[in-house]
Amino acid sequence: MSQGTQEPPTEYWFQLLGPLRFWRDGVEIETGPRQQRCLLALLLARAGQPVGVSEMVDVLWGDEPTASAVNVIHRYIGALRRLTEPGLAARGHSSWLVRQGNSYRLTAGAEASDVVAFRDLVERARTLSRDHDYAPSLDLYQKAIELWSGPCAADLADSGPATAVFHALNRQLFDVAMEAADLAMRLGLADRLLPALRRVASWDHLNEPLHAQLMTLLHEAGHRAEAFAVHDTLRTRLDEELGLEPGPECRAVQQRLLTGTPAVPDPSGERPEPTYDELANPPASLVVRPAQLPPDLPVFVGREDETQVVTGLLQRRHDEPQAAPLVIALSGMGGVGKSTFAVHLAHLLAPGHADGQLYLDLRGSGDGEQSVSTGEALTLLLHSLGMPAVSVPEQVPAQVGMYRSLTVDKRMIVLLDNAHTVQQVRPLVPNSAQSLVLVTSRAPLAGLAAVEGARLLLMDLPTAQIAREILLARLPATGQTPDPAVVDEIVELCGRLPLALALVAAQMAARPWFSLQAVADGLRDAPRLEAFGHDETNNDPRSVFAWSYRHLGPEAARLFRYLSIRIGPSISASACASLLGTELATTRALLQELAGSALISEVEPGRYSSHVLVRAYAEELFLEIDSPQERQEAGTRLLQHYQHSSFAAHVAVRPHLRPVPPLGLAHSVHPESPAGFHTAMSWFATERPVLVDAVTRATERRFGVESWRLALTLQQYFQRGAFFQDWMNVMSTALQAARRDEDRAGQAYSLRSLAGAHFFFGRYDEALDLLDEAGQLFTEMGFPEERGYVHTNRGDVLIRLKRHEEALAEYQKAHRQFVTSGNAQREVRAMSEVGHTLALLGDNAEAETQLRSALARNDQVGNLEQEGQIRVYIGRLQTGLKDYRSAIKELEDAVLVLNRVGHRTLEFDALLMIIESWLALEDYDSAWKTWHTAHELAQTWQNGGTLQTAERLDRLRPPVEPEGV
């Protein structure tokens, strides 16, 4: 136990490596009921990483969570906070159990958590071992193992997910114990580690590798009788519990025990050179131990998740022996670091594969070279295994047979780099279940998974943090601390692509007088790919991408070039069809061809994206190959696609309110038609960033698409989804373009919509000015019904300014206009606003009559959103009359309707009024529950809502907070 970080100083110690226990200031503290203890164990196992509430529910309840599971989680979190910090004020910020979004993180470091201390000691031990500082390394390994007093939280594994979490920590211990035993034997100190390994092995009585290591250690320490006893006991357990015999590892150790062969070879002994006859006739064993791996990077950064996946698969292989080798097929775009990671992984795992490592570059992604044929590949591998040229058969089937004979039952790593096809790889898989095969390729080798049972692992771009570490690890030492902002800019300009980052670092090493800022300026100002130069090995981004491009068919190549002008972070297959001017089925096939070449990626079903540098390469080709007319037509088709698709989605969301229709449509454009309210809302949610950018793109006159028409189709979604900043941005852009083009209709519609955005930001005076200008333009153009909309909008603003008499006059003008024009939808809206305003003026009887009439009229119209609005007004009227329970019922009905139609802003208003009523009734528990619902709803808004939203919530925060929140 060691010093914590709180003031005054307090000592904490969390124990998970054994039974779960907790001490504060040297006194053991009870950690609560079983599920609460399991939650604490999960947080400790994650060692400072955030744990999502959904994962907590899975671990605590498995497949059968209760309806109140999330509430129970929050109650446990509150209890654990009080456990660690008894003096923590209600709703105070805990320094130990920190909330991050919908996750929680326990911040205990090595001074307070045995899990963190264990991992820290192990990492330090491994570092010393890599530096050949073996004796101190063994000391740290022992200290790490001594932290364990039993299997990790064994008494708390009540569900499958909980068992997996705690068993993963146990596996880490077993790996560490075996590493330490290897090191102890190398140092001739086997006796020193025996007590620890005996203890650890007793916690997993069926773990064959662990018991094989214990037998080996006993043998080296001179305890052969005990080693035989361990083997016999293990064999009995395996037979009685699983009906199995010990595996090859245990049998090999038993054989060494019987023959007295030492486990650790004499370091002074030399292996004699094989004779020619031995080379020519190797039926039973390999005659040489290949070690062909390319050098690992001096400092390798990242890929911890991928490494964990592979080591986890290997561990499962130890636990459940298989009949075939483990094949890991790594795929990903050029330059993402597949080969580098594969080499690093092979070096990392080489100690566990004693029969050597084979490496072969199949040249499947080379430039100007043919891929290595099967016969050539097998010949090279056979030579690597010691077979002289005269003994290698000429026929491929005979080569395959010899290769499989030489590799049978061997523990080898075979790294097949830059594969192009499944057919290239299959004959090169060794005939040994103890071997590991690593394959790299640009396209996923799905056939290898189907035929050979390969595990496919997609190599994605590193995170920004890891990319930053990659760059810093490769930069030449200058004695100065790099400016973090400049480093981040370089990482962003390189698109986090490891190849690009490596080239930047290499350029700086070649020109040490360059500053980082100069490099960043060069990347920013020069054509994107020119900044990386051209490497004589064709290992620069342009050359890497060019190989994939040259293997495309003509139409796939054209689509690749056209995708350089896609809008937003990703694009749908339908939008690609419009962009290219082809049928959707044809386009889907072309997209699959591009994805298979790793030039684009399918980020979610039916949506595609590409790396920033790949897109830069596509743009170079687009400008070089396609004519100005072809480029302009492609851009027009894409914008027409989004304008007509957005119009169709708007109509599905608000069938009673049609925006200004879009103009003409090219015959080769295939807009999407989201059917139904929920489908349309989902479509808007997916395409929102694309549509926002499309409005800006449409301001370019050459495409012939009016940006204000597209912008207007987005208003209802922005208002319902509380995307007020997006609303403000797109309408400001549209208004600026309409003014530039002297488009009076565009100006008028943009002004009226922009006023709505200002309204939600509380900028009421600006909103009135915009509405006055819009109203004047509509009057001049002879659009009386649009004047009615302006009157309604002015009334809304005047209500917020508490100018109720003026607001009533505006709503009455709007009502007369909509009755005259026969617009029943807007007539109902005006009626409800008149009723609401009368209530604000104190005429409650007339207000209720007007609102009930509006509700009845709306029943004829069938507008659910308007029904929700009217019920909100009736609830507000009843609140003013202090009929709080009637108000709550009316408002809860309104919330149900508004939630159904996805109108978050009105739903939020209704929830706030329900809170007011509960507070008036002094029902603080109900008030708090509703406040929490409103708070969660506001968190889904863009930027968490406006400042006004937060202020309204804070004013209504209940004075009493329920226990456990």
Side-chain angles (χ1 to χ4, degrees), residues 687-845:
E687 298 289 359
R688 179 176 66 86
V690 177
L691 296 169
V692 169
D693 289 347
V695 171
T696 302
R697 179 81 65 86
T699 60
E700 300 180 36
R701 291 189 177 117
R702 62 194 174 103
F703 296 119
V705 175
E706 295 171 320
S707 61
W708 65 269
R709 289 179 186 268
L710 173 57
L712 284 181
T713 66
L714 309 179
Q715 176 181 325
Q716 291 302 316
Y717 175 72
F718 287 160
Q719 182 173 343
R720 288 165 180 267
F723 295 104
F724 303 128
Q725 190 60 57
D726 281 350
W727 185 0
M728 179 81 75
N729 293 342
V730 300
M731 293 316 307
S732 296
T733 299
L735 177 59
Q736 184 178 6
R739 291 194 192 281
R740 178 199 65 195
D741 297 338
E742 298 181 354
D743 183 342
R744 299 176 71 209
Q747 292 178 56
Y749 283 108
S750 299
L751 285 162
R752 182 160 64 83
S753 180
L754 185 57
H758 279 279
F759 170 81
F760 280 102
F761 276 105
R763 301 167 185 164
Y764 303 127
D765 291 335
E766 292 91 334
L768 286 175
D769 291 341
L770 293 166
L771 288 169
D772 288 344
E773 187 178 353
Q776 181 63 34
L777 284 168
F778 283 131
T779 300
E780 292 172 1
M781 291 185 294
F783 291 1
E785 186 157 317
E786 297 302 333
R787 281 287 309 179
Y789 283 96
V790 172
H791 286 311
T792 303
N793 297 148
R794 280 183 53 82
D796 296 341
V797 179
L798 291 167
I799 287 289
R800 291 292 175 90
L801 291 171
K802 302 191 183 304
R803 292 158 58 179
H804 300 144
E805 292 284 358
E806 297 175 66
L808 180 61
E810 293 287 349
Y811 289 135
Q812 289 170 337
K813 290 177 186 177
H815 183 255
R816 288 193 294 271
Q817 175 59 56
F818 293 131
V819 170
T820 301
S821 63
N823 188 333
Q825 297 287 336
R826 306 312 294 177
E827 174 192 344
V828 171
R829 163 82 197 281
M831 289 174 68
S832 67
E833 298 300 344
V834 168
H836 172 228
T837 310
L838 287 169
L840 294 174
L841 289 168
D843 192 348
N844 295 325

Side-chain angles (χ1 to χ4, degrees), residues 93-365:
H93 294 290
S94 171
S95 60
W96 282 93
L97 192 46
V98 179
R99 182 169 184 171
Q100 292 183 344
N102 201 33
S103 301
Y104 292 89
R105 180 169 65 88
L106 191 67
T107 61
E111 77 287 350
S113 164
D114 60 356
V115 175
V116 181
F118 170 73
R119 291 176 175 171
D120 181 61
L121 286 166
V122 169
E123 181 58 34
R124 288 161 55 197
R126 287 171 175 164
T127 299
L128 288 171
S129 187
R130 285 193 293 268
D131 293 339
H132 308 293
D133 202 355
Y134 298 123
S137 174
L138 184 60
D139 292 340
L140 292 179
Y141 272 124
Q142 280 195 278
K143 288 180 180 178
I145 296 170
E146 286 167 3
L147 286 171
W148 289 72
S149 58
C152 172
D155 59 327
L156 296 175
D158 293 337
S159 67
T163 301
V165 169
F166 304 139
H167 187 54
L169 274 172
N170 290 336
R171 287 202 305 270
Q172 290 179 31
L173 168 65
F174 301 150
D175 289 343
V176 167
M178 289 190 285
E179 289 174 26
D182 282 335
L183 184 56
M185 287 187 286
R186 182 183 300 178
L187 295 173
L189 299 173
D191 260 327
R192 178 172 159 186
L193 203 69
L194 266 177
L197 196 59
R198 286 189 185 105
R199 188 163 52 96
V200 172
S202 71
W203 298 336
D204 191 350
H205 64 278
L206 295 177
N207 188 321
E208 289 192 64
L210 188 59
H211 282 77
Q213 188 76 315
L214 175 59
M215 291 158 57
T216 303
L217 197 66
L218 287 164
H219 176 34
E220 287 301 308
H223 304 287
R224 292 183 65 211
E226 186 181 349
F228 278 116
V230 169
H231 177 271
D232 292 344
T233 302
L234 176 65
R235 183 176 59 187
T236 301
R237 286 174 182 157
L238 288 170
D239 180 49
E240 292 177 350
E241 298 186 31
L242 302 176
L244 297 174
E245 285 292 316
E249 281 185 282
C250 286
R251 292 200 301 272
V253 176
Q254 184 195 31
Q255 186 63 32
R256 288 202 298 270
L257 289 172
L258 291 170
T259 60
T261 306
V264 182
D266 180 1
S268 64
E270 294 184 1
R271 187 173 186 169
E273 288 295 322
T275 66
Y276 177 82
D277 287 339
E278 290 172 330
L279 289 174
N281 301 282
S285 64
L286 295 176
V287 292
V288 294
R289 181 183 182 277
Q292 297 183 329
L293 295 178
D296 197 1
L297 286 178
V299 179
F300 185 88
V301 177
R303 302 299 181 192
E304 285 87 357
D305 290 344
E306 291 88 345
T307 302
Q308 249 184 347
V309 168
V310 177
T311 54
L313 290 171
L314 284 171
Q315 180 62 47
R316 244 173 279 162
R317 288 253 160 176
H318 288 306
D319 297 341
E320 303 171 11
Q322 303 291 317
L326 176 61
V327 181
I328 306 290
L330 308 171
S331 63
M333 65 175 291
V336 81
K338 302 179 296 295
S339 299
T340 302
F341 172 61
V343 169
H344 172 73
L345 189 60
H347 278 285
L348 187 69
L349 301 175
H353 295 81
D355 294 313
Q357 314 96 42
L358 291 168
Y359 172 84
L360 187 59
D361 184 356
L362 296 174
R363 299 202 299 267
S365 58

Side-chain angles (χ1 to χ4, degrees), residues 305-557:
D305 290 344
E306 291 88 345
T307 302
Q308 249 184 347
V309 168
V310 177
T311 54
L313 290 171
L314 284 171
Q315 180 62 47
R316 244 173 279 162
R317 288 253 160 176
H318 288 306
D319 297 341
E320 303 171 11
Q322 303 291 317
L326 176 61
V327 181
I328 306 290
L330 308 171
S331 63
M333 65 175 291
V336 81
K338 302 179 296 295
S339 299
T340 302
F341 172 61
V343 169
H344 172 73
L345 189 60
H347 278 285
L348 187 69
L349 301 175
H353 295 81
D355 294 313
Q357 314 96 42
L358 291 168
Y359 172 84
L360 187 59
D361 184 356
L362 296 174
R363 299 202 299 267
S365 58
D367 186 17
E369 295 179 288
Q370 293 297 318
S371 297
V372 175
S373 68
T374 300
E376 184 183 358
L378 284 165
T379 299
L380 291 169
L381 289 173
L382 290 170
H383 289 168
S384 300
L385 293 172
M387 291 300 299
V390 295
S391 299
V392 176
E394 292 186 5
Q395 300 299 316
V396 169
Q399 292 174 348
V400 172
M402 178 175 281
Y403 176 65
R404 289 175 178 169
S405 296
L406 289 171
T407 57
V408 68
D409 289 335
K410 299 303 175 185
R411 298 182 65 86
M412 303 185 67
I413 293 177
V414 180
L415 201 171
L416 303 173
D417 205 7
N418 294 316
H420 186 45
T421 65
V422 174
Q423 290 72 24
Q424 252 190 325
V425 174
R426 284 194 63 201
L428 312 182
V429 176
N431 185 23
S432 171
Q434 288 77 45
S435 287
L436 168 66
V437 183
L438 299 174
V439 186
T440 72
S441 64
R442 297 213 179 158
L445 298 178
L448 200 62
V451 179
E452 299 290 345
R455 299 304 183 104
L456 305 183
L457 195 58
L458 175 65
M459 297 280 290
D460 208 347
L461 291 169
T463 64
Q465 175 61 34
I466 296 299
R468 188 181 304 117
E469 293 175 13
I470 290 172
L471 178 61
L472 292 173
R474 287 175 172 256
L475 286 176
T478 62
Q480 296 181 348
T481 302
D483 183 342
V486 178
V487 171
D488 288 347
E489 184 181 10
I490 292 175
V491 166
E492 184 66 26
L493 290 168
C494 290
R496 309 199 315 271
L497 188 69
L499 172 61
L501 295 166
L503 287 171
V504 167
Q507 289 173 3
M508 287 204 67
R511 301 173 182 84
W513 56 89
F514 271 30
S515 68
L516 267 182
Q517 185 61 61
V519 172
D521 293 342
L523 288 170
R524 189 190 323 106
D525 300 336
R528 183 61 66 92
L529 296 179
E530 289 297 329
F532 299 104
H534 183 78
D535 185 81
E536 60 272 11
T537 63
N538 291 322
N539 202 28
D540 59 281
R542 184 186 283 109
S543 300
V544 168
F545 305 149
W547 182 90
S548 297
Y549 176 75
R550 283 197 296 272
H551 284 74
L552 298 174
E555 281 302 289

